[in-house]
Amino acid sequence: MTDHQTQPYAGPERVFSGVQPTGALHLGNYLGALKKFVALQEDHECLYCVVDLHAITVNPDPATLAQQTREIAAAYLACGLDPEKSIVFAQSSVPAHTELTWYLNCVSRMGWMERMTQFKDKAGKDAQRASVGLFDYPVLMAADILAYKATHVPVGDDQKQHLELTRDIADKFNRDFDTPNFFPLPEPLIKGPGARIMSLKDGTKKMSKSDPSDLSRINLIDDADAIVKKFKKAKTDVLGDMPETEAGLKDRPEVDNLVGIYAALAGTDKQAVLTEYGGKGFGTFKPALADLAVAHLSPITTRMRNYLDDRGEIDRVLKDGAARADTIARPIMDDVRKIIGFWRS
Ligand code: AQP
């Protein structure tokens, strides 16, 4: 698939991203997404959504959904999102997401959707029993972004294919309706050492909220003891001490992951970490990594707990954010309906 848009998009730069309320946030979510969200709010118009419509594609739980939505909002604020600068809201409170999904469903092609690897991973062996919502998840994600004509999307590496699909959908809408440049072709913002944080138990699997082993991830709400314990128990290998160069990380996925986590937390690169720790044993490196993680995460954890004690404030932020997001999406959706040609009296 190729992008046919030849003229540069002339609209304003706008950032959109989201996180699913499907459980406690982990270090991968933080380094791959939230840390970037915070940096971008300084010089961009940003919308950060708690994507609760995505969360119901797998095992919806009415008893916990609202509270988990508040928890993600609390994590956003605790990581440093300023609700005066960024628009923080819940996806289900702005109708444009669901409406635009239907229109984009009619633009998207089955062949494109069937190539999505995350559906295959999440549906597992019995794809016939997966929800249609899970299959359609990438179109909802395209609608999330395009409902605001967002131009930049900070995400982890696992979302790269979905972002490519969003660009294809935007481009096809523009061509099908002969409205060049109506939708921007959004740019993924993925690069950086935190783009793909792997499980602490298996360096070939990404760190994930839904991994049944809690030892596989560092949660943002873990206390210092839990963080130290998890890094101590993190899998390494029997190939010797820490290598001195990046080439020495080849075929050592678990060590590569730990070095990447250190680099992302310290704001440096893997080679700098290896220059400091190369030739040293894991008995030296793991405690240093745990100390760094605790220093970084414990203020976030404390702020998060404080926010969670103030449910009224979180609800106020989400309500205000929904109204501001809706104000941006409404005129875009009016244009979309006109472009498609729906009857209006
Ligand atoms: N391991 C990771 N490394 C770097 N970035 C990651 N992200 C997720 N895992 C990693 C990024 O975090 C953002 C929010 O993700 P999400 O919770 O909406 O969905 P996900 O990608 O499906 O995350 P999980 O933890 O794997 O959740 P479950 O287990 O519920 O499916 C996204 O930008 C994502 O790239």
Side-chain angles (χ1 to χ4, degrees):
M1 286 172 274
T2 45
D3 299 336
H4 292 260
Q5 205 134 306
T6 47
Q7 298 296 317
Y9 174 72
E13 285 200 351
R14 188 172 283 148
V15 172
F16 177 94
S17 197
V19 174
Q20 296 188 75
T22 45
L25 285 184
H26 54 72
L27 192 59
N29 299 129
Y30 174 66
L31 294 172
L34 270 73
K35 202 163 177 253
K36 291 182 204 154
F37 296 1
V38 175
L40 284 161
Q41 72 177 348
E42 296 311 322
D43 43 14
H44 287 82
E45 181 187 19
C46 297
L47 294 111
Y48 295 122
C49 189
V50 183
V51 289
D52 50 359
L53 297 171
H54 285 273
I56 63 167
T57 57
V58 182
N59 304 328
D61 182 3
T64 57
L65 184 58
Q67 184 54 21
Q68 291 198 326
T69 299
R70 290 191 186 98
E71 285 173 15
I72 301 296
Y76 278 174
L77 301 177
C79 287
L81 285 187
D82 175 350
E84 301 296 318
K85 291 183 185 157
S86 295
I87 300 177
V88 174
F89 67 107
Q91 187 185 26
S92 63
S93 53
V94 180
H97 296 257
T98 43
E99 184 183 350
L100 186 58
T101 299
W102 181 254
Y103 306 151
L104 298 183
N105 274 337
C106 299
V107 170
S108 307
R109 303 291 99 175
M110 284 298 289
W112 300 356
M113 300 297 290
E114 281 170 359
R115 281 197 283 275
M116 293 299 111
T117 56
Q118 193 177 81
F119 173 75
K120 291 177 194 158
D121 292 345
K122 290 203 171 179
K125 289 195 185 78
D126 199 358
Q128 291 297 308
R129 295 182 69 85
S131 71
V132 175
L134 186 66
F135 183 71
D136 204 32
Y137 179 114
V139 180
L140 175 57
M141 182 166 156
D144 297 338
I145 297 163
L146 299 175
Y148 304 98
K149 294 192 173 183
T151 54
H152 293 83
V153 186
V155 280
D157 184 67
D158 59 321
Q159 296 299 328
K160 192 171 171 206
Q161 193 185 35
H162 290 165
L163 254 298
E164 282 161 7
L165 181 80
T166 298
R167 292 171 62 91
D168 288 329
I169 293 173
D171 184 51
K172 187 158 189 306
F173 182 98
N174 292 347
R175 284 186 292 123
D176 284 0
F177 294 100
D178 199 16
T179 50
N181 287 314
F182 175 72
F183 282 129
L185 308 190
E187 295 288 339
L189 302 174
I190 294 178
K191 287 200 176 67
R196 192 165 184 80
I197 302 298
M198 310 308 277
S199 157
L200 299 183
K201 291 277 129 199
D202 178 351
T204 63
K205 265 173 53 184
K206 79 163 187 153
M207 188 176 283
S208 170
K209 295 187 211 103
S210 51
D211 191 314
S213 167
D214 192 53
L215 287 175
S216 70
R217 64 184 160 260
I218 304 289
N219 301 306
L220 291 194
I221 48 160
D222 282 344
D223 61 22
D225 289 347
I227 293 175
V228 170
K229 180 176 133 199
K230 286 179 179 180
F231 278 121
K232 197 169 173 190
K233 287 182 174 280
K235 187 176 170 204
T236 48
D237 55 37
V238 290
L239 299 174
D241 291 336
M242 299 277 291
E244 289 179 9
T245 63
E246 280 193 68
L249 293 171
K250 191 168 176 298
D251 300 326
R252 302 186 75 179
E254 283 82 17
V255 182
D256 190 2
N257 186 39
L258 295 181
V259 172
I261 292 174
Y262 193 109
L265 285 170
T268 181
D269 57 30
K270 289 182 188 175
Q271 187 50 57
V273 179
L274 296 175
T275 302
E276 189 173 350
Y277 290 99
K280 298 194 173 130
F282 296 111
T284 304
F285 179 64
K286 282 181 168 181
L289 174 57
D291 284 351
L292 182 64
V294 169
H296 216 88
L297 297 182
S298 65
I300 295 176
T301 312
T302 308
R303 282 198 295 272
M304 211 171 136
R305 289 187 210 281
N306 291 341
Y307 277 117
L308 285 172
D309 286 341
D310 191 356
R311 185 170 141 171
E313 172 60 7
I314 294 181
D315 288 353
R316 190 196 63 72
V317 167
L318 289 173
K319 205 169 155 195
D320 176 63
R324 286 156 68 198
D326 194 54
T327 302
I328 298 174
R330 253 170 212 276
I332 296 173
M333 292 307 297
D334 284 344
D335 288 345
V336 169
R337 287 184 217 103
K338 275 189 212 131
I339 288 170
I340 297 176
F342 288 120
W343 170 85
R344 286 290 178 274
S345 67

